[in-house]
Amino acid sequence: MSHACEESLTLNLDFTKIAKVAANIKEEKDHVIPVAIQHVDTHEVILIAYTNRQAMELTFKTRTLTLWSTSRNELWEKGKTSGETFEVLEARVNCEQNSLVYFVRPRRGNICHTKNKAGQPRNCYYRRIDLNDGTTLTNLDP
């Protein structure tokens, strides 16, 4: 099932996401930082997500990409239901220690829950913004 936001060719950014996440924090375990997920071989940024201490420690222990779902407030092993899981090969922290980058290798397929017309999972950054008008999107993996 696809959602209009995921297939739209019009830019409609959610600038309220961080505020929504902050409003839902009820316990220290829910505190999160952003983590960029980068394909170790292609260098493509394939996902931006969130991690908390529990998800980060589990990721390091198992070397499997595990994140914190801010919408469900639970651990989220990326691809567990679809089989599109990721091996974490390296982790880096930024200078202010408030975000991470994980370098991953897909065990099979790509990362996104959306699929192209051929039914293949794609990476999350599959639409390009037209810089001339700032609102039109082009689907690079229809």
Side-chain angles (χ1 to χ4, degrees):
M1 175 193 322
S2 68
H3 300 290
C5 177
E6 295 163 348
E7 298 303 324
S8 173
L9 296 181
T10 302
L11 189 64
N12 186 20
L13 297 171
D14 181 4
F15 286 106
T16 65
K17 176 71 175 181
I18 299 297
K20 289 176 193 172
V21 169
N24 285 329
I25 292 176
K26 307 216 182 337
E27 300 177 40
E28 186 175 335
K29 71 175 184 65
D30 297 332
H31 290 208
V32 296
I33 60 172
V35 56
I37 313 302
Q38 185 173 2
H39 193 297
V40 72
D41 299 319
T42 66
H43 307 289
E44 179 181 10
V45 174
I46 52 180
L47 176 69
I48 303 291
Y50 298 93
T51 189
N52 65 3
R53 185 175 306 279
Q54 182 184 13
M56 181 188 73
E57 289 173 353
L58 188 58
T59 293
F60 294 171
K61 179 180 176 184
T62 64
R63 302 289 197 272
T64 294
L65 180 59
T66 305
L67 303 161
W68 183 255
S69 170
T70 57
S71 57
R72 296 183 310 266
N73 287 320
E74 65 184 20
L75 285 174
W76 165 36
E77 182 182 321
K78 185 65 178 124
K80 185 173 186 175
T81 56
S82 68
E84 310 293 341
T85 62
F86 296 82
E87 177 184 14
V88 177
L89 302 170
E90 184 178 339
R92 295 185 189 179
V93 63
N94 73 325
C95 57
E96 295 179 344
Q97 295 202 35
N98 60 11
S99 68
L100 298 170
V101 176
Y102 291 164
F103 294 88
V104 302
R105 182 170 288 127
R107 292 193 171 109
R108 72 167 212 211
N110 283 318
I111 201 164
C112 195
H113 66 280
T114 68
K115 298 192 178 357
N116 61 22
K117 288 180 182 176
Q120 300 298 313
R122 46 191 171 193
N123 289 330
C124 290
Y125 292 91
Y126 55 89
R127 291 175 288 181
R128 179 177 49 224
I129 301 169
D130 181 331
L131 298 179
N132 292 317
D133 72 15
T135 62
T136 304
L137 304 175
T138 301
N139 189 332
L140 304 173
D141 190 9

